[in-house]
Amino acid sequence: MKKNLFSLLLALGIIFYFILTPMILNSPILRESSFTTLMYIALAISLNILMGFTGYVSFGHVVFFGIGGYITFALLYYYKISLFLALILAGIFAALIAALLGSVVLNLRGAYFAIATIGINEAIKSLVNNLEFLGGAEGLFFNMKIYKSYGGPQNALWLSFYLLGIITIVVLIISYLIKHSKFGLGLFAIREDEDAASTLGVNTKLFKTIAFMISAFFPAVVGGIFFFKNGSIDPGSAFSLTKSVEMIFMVMLGGIGTILGPVLGAITYDKIKETLLVSEAFKNLHLTISGIILLLIVLFVPEGIIGFLRRKIKVLKNILD
Amino acid sequence: MNVYIDTFINGILIGLIYGLAAMGLALIWGVLKVINLSHGAFITLGMFLSYLIFKYFHIPPYISVFFTLIIGFILGFLAYFISLHKIVSHAKNFKEYELSSLLSTFSLSLIITGFLLFIFATTPMAINLPLSLFETKLLASFFSIIFTIALTLFLYKTYMGKAIRAVSQNIDAAKLMGVNTTLILAISFAIGISLAMAAGNLIAMVFPFSTLSGILYELKSFVICVLGGLGNPVGTIVGGIILGLLENFFGLFVNQGLVPFIEFTILILLLIFKPNGLFGGSK
Amino acid sequence: MPSILKVENLSKKFGGLLALNNVSFEVKEKEILGIIGPNGAGKSTLFKCITSIYKPSSGKVYFKEFDVTNYPTYKKVKMGMAITHQIVKPLKELSVLENVMVGACYGKANLSIKEAREKALEVLDFVGLYDKKDLEAGKLNVPQKKRLEMARALASDPELIFLDEVLAGLNPAEVSKMLDVILKIREKGITILMIEHLMHAIMKVSDRIIVLDHGQKIAEGPPQKVAKNEKVIEAYLGDPKLALKLLKEK
Amino acid sequence: MKKYLSIALALSFAFFGCLDKKEEKGNKQSISETKAKTASKDFIVIGYTESKTGKFATESREQSQGLKLWAEDVNKNGGIYVKALGKKLKVKLISYDDESLKDRVQQLYTRLITEDKADFLISPYSSGLTASAAVVSEQYGKVLIATGAASDKIFKKGYELVYQIYTPASRYLKDAIDLLKEKHPDVIKIAIIYENSNFAKSVATAAKKYAEEKGFKVVVFESYDPGTSDFTTLINKIKEKGAQALIGGGHFTDGQAIAKQVNDVKLPLKMLCILVAPAIDKFKEIGKAALYVSGPSQWEPKVDYSPKTYPEKFYGISSKEFVEKYKKIYAKDPSYHAAGGYAAGLVLQKAIEDSGSLETSKVKNALDNMDIYTLFGHIKFEKAPYHGRQEGHKMVIVQWQEKQNKLDKEIVYPKEASTSNYIPYNKKF
C-alpha cells in the first residue's frame, strides 16, 4: 500500500512543481511552457486509463480533445455560458460519445481497434469540416470580449493555466484510485485476458466502456481549456493525428499502466521536443531526430522509464509504480 | 459522354491506383501482422524519387518505376532490420509486438518525413509529362494490374512466395518446416516497401504532390485493406476499385467535402461487421 | 436432492457441423458429475454453451431454477458458477494473489478489494500456492497454473464449479494431489461438473458420469455402470476389449 | 506516511529544480540585462515564428526570407532612427519553428516577448496560427503585424494591436468577378469550387455573395477535401450544370490539378480563375494547360510599384529593386509571401520612424494613421469594428499568356497595373 502512495505523492509533487513555479515567480514564460507540459501530462494519464489499465490502444484519442474543444468553444461562442459549466458539459458529452462509440468499437481487438479509432478521428474531423455552425474548415474565433468577462486576456490565460493544473491533479488522483480499486482490478484482468476476465465474473463490456468514458472525459476538458486559451479552433488543430500518437508515446516512454509513468513520460517527451524546437543545431531536423529518439526508446526501453528503473535499481523495484 | 459512364470509368481507374497504393500495406499487414505506419512516408519517398529522376535524368516515371522497385526493396530490407527485427524476433506471438510495431514504424515515418521536409519543405511538386490526365491514369492503372498479376504469381507459384504465405498463415509451423522466417519477414517487408515506393513513383506522374501527400494514401490504404482483406493482391485491387467507385459516385450526389467522412464511416462499419474484409469469412 | 443445473436439448452448430446435438441432463446439488468422451465429442463445447462463452444454437439452461440460457458469462459467474479453462488463462502480468483476487471480487463472493485479499490468501493456502502469491502469474509452471485456475474459481464462492480437464498434463503425483483438492472442494458443499480425459481419475471421484460422443449423450449413470456400457467403450476406442483392459489398469 | 510525503515532495522539487535551474538563471539574467538595456538599447528585437515543418513550411519559408531581406536592408543603412533615443538602432530578428501547429504558437510568442524581449512581433504564416499568436500579443500589449494571414475573422475579435498586410479573404475574388462582368456581360451561370480549408472557404463564401449581388447565378458551389487531387467528378458536375465560368481553388497543388484537368476535358469556360496556383511560377510546369488561366494575386514581381507610380506617399524600395535583391540572394523570383514579409517589416519601420519611439501606444497610433504605398502596394488599416484589417491593398489578377511560344504570366487587372489584355479562357480550344 505504502509503495503505491509513494509514486502518487511523487507524481503530485512534480505536478505541483509545474503549477507553483510559474505562480511564485509570476513568470508568463514558465507558465506557457508549464501549460504545455501539464496538458501533455493530463492527456497521457487519461490515455493510460484506457491503454495502460484496459489494454486498448486508441490511436485516435485526440478526437476527444477536439470534441471537448469544439463543445466548449461553441457553448461559449453561442450561449455565452460560464467556462466552468462549458468544460463540464464538454467532458460529459465526450464521455457520452465515448459510450456510444465504445459500445461498437470496443468489440474490436488490438490493431483493429487502433485502426478503427484512427477512422473515428478522421471521420469526425471531416464531419466538423462540413458543419457550418462549427465554422466548418474555417473554424471559430473568439472575440476578445469573451476574455473580458474573465478579467481580460491576461487573467484568462492564468485562469486557463490554473484550471489545467486542477484537472491534471484530478485526473492523476482518479487514475490512482482506479488502479487500486476493485474496478481497476477488473480492468487489469481485461487487459491481461479478456475472455478469462469474463469467466471470472467481470462485466467486460461495461468495464471497458466505463474506462473509455473516463479516458475520454479528461481530454475533452483539457481540449476545452486549450482552445479557450487559444482563442480560435479549427478542425486541423483539434483533430491532429500526430497528437494522438504523441499521447501514446508519452505513455510508453514513462511506463504503461503505471501511475507515475505517464507523468514522467509526458515531461520527458515535452522537454525533448522543446529543446529540439529551440535549439539552433537541431531545429531544422527536429522531426527526424525525435523519430530517431522514439525509435530507440521503442527498441531498447520498451518498458518505459519506470520499468527501466525498476529493472535496474533494486531499491526502486517495490517503490515505483 | 454520359456523366455516369464518365464517373464509372474514372472510379475504376482511380480505384486501381488506390489499390496499387495499398498493395504494400496489405502485404506487410498480412504477413508480418504489422500495420506499417511508415507506408505513407515511403509512398512520398517514391514520389520524390520519381520527381528527381525525371528532373535530372529525364527518365519518365513509367520507366523509373523499375529502378524505384529496386531502391525500395533495399530500403525496405534495411528498414526491417532497423525498426522491426528486434521487436518481431523477441516476441512469442504477434500480439506481443502489435503495439510496439505500430510505434516503431511510426518513428520511421517521422524520420523520413522530417528529412523530406528539411529538403523540400511542403513545396508542391508535379511531374508534367506530355500526356493528359486520363492517359497517365490509364498508364498507372496498367501498372497496377501488372503488379497485381506479378505479385500473385510470385506468391502462388514461386518457392519464396509459398514460404511467405506459409509464414503469414502460421509462422511457428513454417519455422518447424525449416523456413528461415527472419529472412522471409525481412523480404516481405522489403517487397511491401518496394511496392509502396513504386506506387508513389507512379502516382507522382498522375497527380501533383508534396511532402505530406503520402499520409492521404496511407489512410485510404487502411480502408482498402479492410475492404479487400489481407489475403491476396487481387482482393486489395478489388478493395481499391470499390473505394474508387464509392468516392466518385458519392462525389456526384453529395458535397465532395463529405467524401472522407463517408469513407471513414465505411471503414469503421466494416471493421465492426466484416473485420476480415468483404470477401473474408466472419470473425 | 434438488437439481442445481438443468440442461435441456442443448445444441450447437458451427457452420454446418453439429457439435452438440440435443444434450439434456441435470446436476444435483453437491454432487460431482463427470463428463467424458473421446476427443471432439463436444465436452468443452458443452461447457462453453452452458457458461455462455458460446451462444447455443438451441436449447435451454436452467441454473437454480432460473432460465439463464441467454445470460452473459459474467452474470452466470455472479450467480454462482465458476469456470476453469482447459487451456490455462492466467492473467500473466498480475501477481498470483491479484489473479485470485479478481475471482473473489467479481464472482458470487462479490467482495470488496480488502476482503478479497484475505479471501484470496485463504484460498491460495487451500490449493497450496501461498508461497507463490507475489509471483507474476505468467511465471508459474503448468501444474501451478492449473491450481491457480482452481483457486480463482474457488475464491468466487461458487455453488457450481466447472472443471475443464484440470488433470490433463499432470504427472501421477500431481494428479492425486489435485484429486484431493477436488474432494475437499466437494466437502465445502460445492457442486462440481468436471470434464476429464483420464477416465480412471474421473471414475474415482465422480458420483455420476455422462458420456458424450459426436455431440450426443450416449450414456449416463454411476461410474461403474457407465464403464461397462459397450456403447461407451466402443466410442472410446472402437475396440471394446482393449478399452476394458485399459480401464482396469488404474 | 508523512515521511513518504515529505520525501516524495522534496525529491521531486529537488529533481526538477535542478533541471530548471539553468532556465531560471537565464531568466533572471535577462531581466537584469534588459534593465541595463533600456538605457543603452542597441537593437530593436522583432520576434516571429516560422513554420519550418508541417504543412505551411514552403510559404512560411518565403515569408521569412522576405522579412530577413528587409532586416538586412535596414541594418545596412545603420538601422532605424528612433527619435526618442536619438539614434539609429539595428534590427534583430528572432524566430522559432511552430511546426505549422497551434500547440506551441502561444508558448513561443510568450517566450519571444518575455524571454527574448521582443519589441514588436510579426505573425506566423496562415490565419489560424496568427489568431493564436494574436491572443498573446494583445495580452502583452505588443504590436503584431499580420502577414500571410488573409482571414477577416481575426479582425472581428476586437483586437487593438493586430495589423493586416494582405488583402482580406472577403475581397480576394472580388476583382475577378468584376473582370468577368466587364468582359463577359453575357455570362450568367458560374461555378465556385473551393478547398475545404480555413482560407479558401472564407474566400469562396465571400465570392459567392458578391457574385450573386452582381447578378450571377452560382450553379455549383462545392467544397473538396484538402489533398484532393482528382477533380474529374467535380468537373463532370460543372459540365452538367452548364456553368460558363469557374472560380475557386485553395492551395497550389489542387489549383494546378484543376487547371490541368479542365484543360484535359476541354471544358469551354469563358473564365477559369483559380486561387493561389496561377500566381506561383511553378504553375507553368503544366504547359499548355496553364494557358489563359487567371488568378488573383496579392502581389507580382512584375507590378510596378515605385515612387514614380505613387510619388506622394511612396515609402521604401520599389518593387523592381526588391525583385532584384531577392533574386540575387535566393536565385529565383520572389513570391507574394516574400514580398508580404518584406512589407511587414517596412510597415513596422515606417511606424517606428513616424512615432519616433518604440512604445507600443505611439507606434500603434502611427499604424492607425498610416496611409502609404510600398513595393507591396497600398497599405492602410481599417478602424473599428474591423480594427486593423487591411483596406488599402488591392489584388492584381494575373493570366498565363503565350508570347513567342513561351508561357508568361501577365497582369491583366486592374488597368493601371496591367501588362497585357485579358483573353477568354476558351479561346485556346
Side-chain angles (χ1 to χ4, degrees), chain B residues 1 3-4 6-7 10 14 18 51 114 117-129 131-134 136-137 205-210 212-213 216-217 247-258 260, chain D residues 51-62 100 194 196 221-234 236-237 239-240 251-258 260-261 264-265 280 282-287:
Chain B
M1 222 199 295
V3 174
Y4 293 99
D6 258 6
T7 309
N10 192 53
I14 291 288
Y18 286 168
Y51 177 82
L117 273 172
F118 176 59
I119 302 173
F120 299 101
T122 43
T123 313
M125 305 282 178
I127 295 172
N128 291 292
L129 300 168
L131 295 170
S132 76
L133 177 75
F134 184 73
T136 52
K137 272 186 202 164
M205 99 187 145
V206 186
F207 298 123
F209 61 95
S210 80
L212 307 171
S213 299
L216 289 167
Y217 291 99
E247 258 186 20
N248 276 271
F249 277 99
F250 272 127
L252 264 192
F253 304 112
V254 302
N255 191 330
Q256 284 270 326
L258 267 174
Chain D
S51 306
K52 290 198 183 229
T53 47
K55 56 186 170 194
F56 303 133
T58 298
E59 294 90 339
S60 190
R61 182 189 283 181
E62 293 193 0
S100 313
Y194 60 97
N196 209 349
F221 184 71
E222 268 202 38
S223 66
Y224 53 85
D225 213 53
T228 303
S229 44
D230 187 16
F231 293 91
T232 315
T233 320
L234 265 177
N236 276 339
K237 228 184 218 179
K239 199 172 15 174
E240 200 193 349
H251 282 101
F252 180 82
T253 322
D254 47 335
Q256 198 184 37
I258 292 172
K260 194 162 185 246
Q261 293 171 26
D264 275 351
V265 296
I280 291 171
K282 280 172 69 84
F283 189 67
K284 66 166 172 263
E285 284 177 1
I286 55 172

Side-chain angles (χ1 to χ4, degrees), chain C:
Chain C
M1 237 183 283
S3 72
I4 186 164
L5 182 76
K6 199 162 101 189
V7 173
E8 268 181 21
N9 301 324
L10 210 59
S11 295
K12 175 71 185 171
K13 261 188 199 161
F14 289 113
L17 186 85
L18 199 57
L20 270 188
N21 189 0
N22 272 324
V23 176
S24 303
F25 64 91
E26 281 186 37
V27 187
K28 302 220 157 39
E29 259 177 38
K30 295 182 185 174
E31 78 170 332
I32 297 183
L33 178 67
I35 297 175
I36 59 170
N39 272 335
K43 300 178 302 254
S44 278
T45 308
L46 176 65
F47 264 28
K48 286 179 176 162
C49 283
I50 296 173
T51 54
S52 294
I53 294 171
Y54 294 159
K55 195 178 154 35
S57 309
S58 65
K60 292 261 180 242
V61 177
Y62 297 91
F63 182 57
K64 297 193 280 186
E65 317 275 284
F66 293 103
D67 177 0
V68 296
T69 318
N70 294 317
Y71 280 29
T73 307
Y74 78 90
K75 231 176 177 171
K76 293 186 174 173
V77 174
K78 283 227 182 324
M79 286 177 77
M81 294 189 187
I83 303 159
T84 66
H85 301 93
Q86 179 183 6
I87 300 156
V88 289
K89 291 187 176 200
L91 309 170
K92 280 184 202 149
E93 284 179 31
L94 298 187
S95 70
V96 169
L97 177 65
E98 284 167 327
N99 263 272
V100 184
M101 280 167 69
V102 177
C105 277
Y106 290 101
K108 181 166 170 272
N110 204 15
L111 300 175
S112 77
I113 197 139
K114 222 171 164 183
E115 297 161 336
R117 179 181 299 271
E118 281 160 31
K119 172 88 183 172
L121 289 173
E122 192 183 299
V123 174
L124 281 173
D125 192 38
F126 180 75
V127 300
L129 278 177
Y130 190 87
D131 51 337
K132 298 273 185 291
K133 66 179 167 39
D134 290 325
L135 205 68
E136 270 183 31
K139 292 191 173 138
L140 295 176
N141 63 27
V142 174
Q144 286 166 340
K145 280 181 183 159
K146 295 230 159 194
R147 266 186 276 162
L148 179 64
E149 286 274 329
M150 297 266 282
R152 286 196 311 204
L154 281 176
S156 72
D157 258 350
E159 291 174 44
L160 171 63
I161 191 165
F162 291 82
L163 302 179
D164 195 347
E165 301 209 11
V166 286
L167 303 176
L170 303 185
N171 65 33
E174 288 160 356
V175 166
S176 82
K177 257 202 220 156
M178 194 59 120
L179 286 176
D180 283 345
V181 174
I182 291 172
L183 290 171
K184 271 202 265 175
I185 295 172
R186 202 243 300 259
E187 279 165 30
K188 289 178 171 229
I190 299 168
T191 315
I192 297 173
L193 192 56
M194 66 187 292
I195 294 179
E196 207 46 72
H197 209 68
L198 294 174
M199 280 183 66
H200 68 273
I202 202 166
M203 297 275 169
K204 209 155 120 189
V205 293
S206 302
D207 299 317
R208 269 191 318 134
I209 284 187
I210 288 176
V211 189
L212 289 185
D213 188 30
H214 294 301
Q216 269 176 311
K217 188 171 86 177
I218 54 170
E220 181 177 353
Q224 268 56 39
K225 220 166 152 191
V226 167
K228 287 181 192 131
N229 187 324
E230 293 224 352
K231 246 171 149 181
V232 175
I233 296 165
E234 199 181 319
Y236 251 78
L237 279 173
D239 180 354
K241 274 177 197 154
L242 183 63
L244 253 164
K245 215 175 96 192
L246 278 173
L247 270 174
K248 277 173 187 155
E249 289 172 12
K250 279 198 180 170

Side-chain angles (χ1 to χ4, degrees), chain D residues 122-240:
Chain D
I122 308 281
S123 71
Y125 180 79
S126 90
S127 299
L129 299 186
T130 301
S132 290
V135 175
V136 175
S137 73
E138 283 285 322
Q139 181 211 332
Y140 288 100
K142 293 286 174 195
V143 165
L144 177 78
I145 308 291
T147 181
S151 167
D152 292 79
K153 283 191 173 178
I154 302 171
F155 301 92
K156 277 186 201 164
K157 296 174 73 174
Y159 287 159
E160 295 294 318
L161 299 169
V162 186
Y163 293 89
Q164 183 176 42
I165 299 291
Y166 279 23
T167 295
S170 54
R171 290 197 284 119
Y172 229 89
L173 281 172
K174 190 170 163 279
D175 294 340
I177 291 162
D178 286 339
L179 178 65
L180 181 64
K181 191 88 203 166
E182 185 188 317
K183 299 284 177 183
H184 304 284
D186 53 317
V187 168
I188 297 165
K189 291 179 179 175
I190 65 167
I192 300 176
I193 60 174
Y194 60 97
E195 185 190 53
N196 209 349
S197 67
N198 194 329
F199 159 72
K201 199 187 160 201
S202 325
V203 173
T205 317
K208 179 174 186 246
K209 200 170 150 231
Y210 188 70
E212 279 166 352
E213 275 169 23
K214 287 275 158 179
F216 291 105
K217 212 172 146 205
V218 182
V219 289
V220 175
F221 184 71
E222 268 202 38
S223 66
Y224 53 85
D225 213 53
T228 303
S229 44
D230 187 16
F231 293 91
T232 315
T233 320
L234 265 177
I235 291 171
N236 276 339
K237 228 184 218 179
I238 293 163
K239 199 172 15 174
E240 200 193 349

Side-chain angles (χ1 to χ4, degrees), chain A:
Chain A
M1 204 62 202
K2 270 183 182 171
K3 66 171 181 186
N4 305 321
L5 210 52
F6 177 79
S7 287
L8 173 69
L9 294 175
L10 193 58
L12 272 177
I14 293 168
I15 293 172
F16 270 117
Y17 172 82
F18 280 103
I19 300 173
L20 293 178
T21 37
M23 200 171 124
I24 294 165
L25 298 175
N26 195 16
S27 153
I29 176 68
L30 278 181
R31 181 200 65 210
E32 286 300 315
S33 63
S34 288
F35 187 93
T36 319
T37 314
L38 287 173
M39 178 169 89
Y40 282 159
I41 293 176
L43 290 177
I45 298 176
S46 321
L47 179 64
N48 190 42
I49 293 175
L50 182 70
M51 171 177 157
F53 296 177
T54 322
Y56 278 77
V57 184
S58 166
F59 262 70
H61 219 59
V62 74
V63 75
F64 299 112
F65 177 81
I67 288 172
Y70 262 102
I71 292 167
T72 310
F73 218 94
L75 287 173
L76 290 174
Y77 190 88
Y78 291 112
Y79 304 107
K80 316 258 183 294
I81 68 168
S82 97
L83 174 65
F84 312 100
L85 188 60
L87 289 176
I88 289 169
L89 287 176
I92 291 172
F93 191 77
L96 290 177
I97 290 184
L100 202 72
L101 291 173
S103 64
V104 283
V105 292
L106 283 168
N107 292 328
L108 299 168
R109 296 197 182 168
Y112 286 98
F113 177 76
I115 295 291
T117 51
I118 292 180
I120 288 172
N121 187 50
E122 293 303 303
I124 291 189
K125 181 186 187 171
S126 166
L127 184 65
V128 173
N129 245 323
N130 290 284
L131 288 180
E132 280 312 311
F133 75 100
L134 291 179
E138 279 177 284
L140 296 172
F141 294 77
F142 274 150
N143 192 304
M144 283 303 270
K145 275 185 212 139
I146 284 190
Y147 294 131
K148 298 234 164 76
S149 45
Y150 299 96
Q154 179 103 18
N155 283 333
L157 291 186
W158 278 106
L159 176 72
S160 323
F161 176 70
Y162 292 134
L163 281 177
L164 181 65
I166 293 168
I167 278 297
T168 312
I169 292 169
V170 170
V171 70
L172 176 76
I173 292 176
I174 291 213
S175 127
Y176 174 82
L177 291 177
I178 289 177
K179 181 161 185 185
H180 297 99
S181 70
K182 183 170 163 177
F183 173 62
L185 188 63
L187 294 185
F188 277 99
I190 292 172
R191 181 187 80 183
E192 294 300 317
D193 189 329
E194 203 164 331
D195 298 327
S198 90
T199 57
L200 287 168
V202 179
N203 184 348
T204 50
K205 206 165 173 174
L206 180 72
F207 276 41
K208 284 187 293 187
T209 308
I210 293 174
F212 198 38
M213 286 169 78
I214 295 172
S215 84
F217 179 91
F218 291 101
V221 177
V222 172
I225 298 172
F226 177 76
F227 287 105
F228 169 77
K229 174 176 173 279
N230 249 283
S232 65
I233 188 168
D234 60 89
S237 47
F239 303 103
S240 128
L241 209 52
T242 320
K243 187 175 266 122
S244 253
V245 184
E246 283 178 338
M247 285 159 76
I248 297 174
F249 261 119
M250 291 184 269
V251 175
M252 289 276 294
L253 179 59
I256 184 166
T258 61
I259 296 296
L260 188 58
V263 180
L264 293 184
I267 294 169
T268 316
Y269 181 82
D270 181 50
K271 293 292 169 208
I272 291 176
K273 212 171 155 190
E274 204 182 288
T275 315
L276 289 178
L277 273 184
V278 296
S279 109
E280 275 305 316
F282 297 124
K283 63 184 178 187
N284 290 321
L285 265 173
H286 69 84
L287 209 58
T288 300
I289 294 166
S290 29
I292 293 172
I293 294 174
L294 299 169
L295 184 60
L296 291 176
I297 291 164
V298 177
L299 293 180
F300 298 103
V301 219
E303 76 273 51
I305 297 171
I306 296 287
F308 179 77
L309 291 176
R310 274 206 291 227
R311 187 155 53 92
K312 291 280 172 197
I313 308 172
K314 273 228 168 90
V315 193
L316 295 177
K317 197 177 176 230
N318 291 319
I319 306 178
L320 279 185
D321 175 40

Side-chain angles (χ1 to χ4, degrees), chain D residues 182-403:
Chain D
E182 185 188 317
K183 299 284 177 183
H184 304 284
D186 53 317
V187 168
I188 297 165
K189 291 179 179 175
I190 65 167
I192 300 176
I193 60 174
Y194 60 97
E195 185 190 53
N196 209 349
S197 67
N198 194 329
F199 159 72
K201 199 187 160 201
S202 325
V203 173
T205 317
K208 179 174 186 246
K209 200 170 150 231
Y210 188 70
E212 279 166 352
E213 275 169 23
K214 287 275 158 179
F216 291 105
K217 212 172 146 205
V218 182
V219 289
V220 175
F221 184 71
E222 268 202 38
S223 66
Y224 53 85
D225 213 53
T228 303
S229 44
D230 187 16
F231 293 91
T232 315
T233 320
L234 265 177
I235 291 171
N236 276 339
K237 228 184 218 179
I238 293 163
K239 199 172 15 174
E240 200 193 349
K241 300 271 183 182
Q244 296 151 288
L246 170 61
I247 59 181
H251 282 101
F252 180 82
T253 322
D254 47 335
Q256 198 184 37
I258 292 172
K260 194 162 185 246
Q261 293 171 26
V262 167
N263 181 67
D264 275 351
V265 296
K266 298 201 169 22
L267 198 62
L269 296 166
K270 291 277 168 54
M271 177 190 255
L272 175 58
C273 184
I274 300 173
L275 290 173
V276 182
I280 291 171
D281 255 352
K282 280 172 69 84
F283 189 67
K284 66 166 172 263
E285 284 177 1
I286 55 172
K288 278 270 191 217
L291 191 62
Y292 303 146
V293 177
S294 54
S297 174
Q298 291 281 356
W299 180 86
E300 280 301 314
K302 270 194 179 169
V303 296
D304 183 18
Y305 293 148
S306 68
K308 249 190 285 164
T309 28
Y310 303 107
E312 291 292 310
K313 298 172 177 170
F314 199 83
Y315 181 75
I317 56 172
S318 70
S319 48
K320 289 270 176 314
E321 242 176 292
F322 170 69
V323 175
E324 277 163 28
K325 282 186 177 176
Y326 189 91
K327 265 182 155 170
K328 222 161 83 190
I329 299 177
Y330 302 109
K332 59 172 184 178
D333 268 341
S335 67
Y336 65 80
H337 310 105
Y342 195 98
L346 214 52
V347 164
L348 206 50
Q349 183 184 355
K350 174 80 166 127
I352 295 169
E353 284 175 359
D354 284 356
S355 63
S357 160
L358 296 179
E359 273 172 50
T360 300
S361 58
K362 289 184 181 153
V363 174
K364 170 186 157 55
N365 226 346
L367 284 165
D368 284 343
N369 296 318
M370 190 171 280
D371 185 2
I372 55 169
Y373 289 86
T374 65
L375 67 113
F376 197 64
H378 192 188
I379 302 282
K380 186 172 191 290
F381 306 105
E382 278 180 58
K383 309 268 180 310
Y386 287 95
H387 179 268
R389 184 166 75 168
Q390 183 55 242
E391 72 171 331
H393 188 255
K394 279 203 169 58
M395 306 294 290
V396 292
I397 293 179
V398 298
Q399 184 175 42
W400 285 90
Q401 300 185 351
E402 209 166 26
K403 293 235 163 104

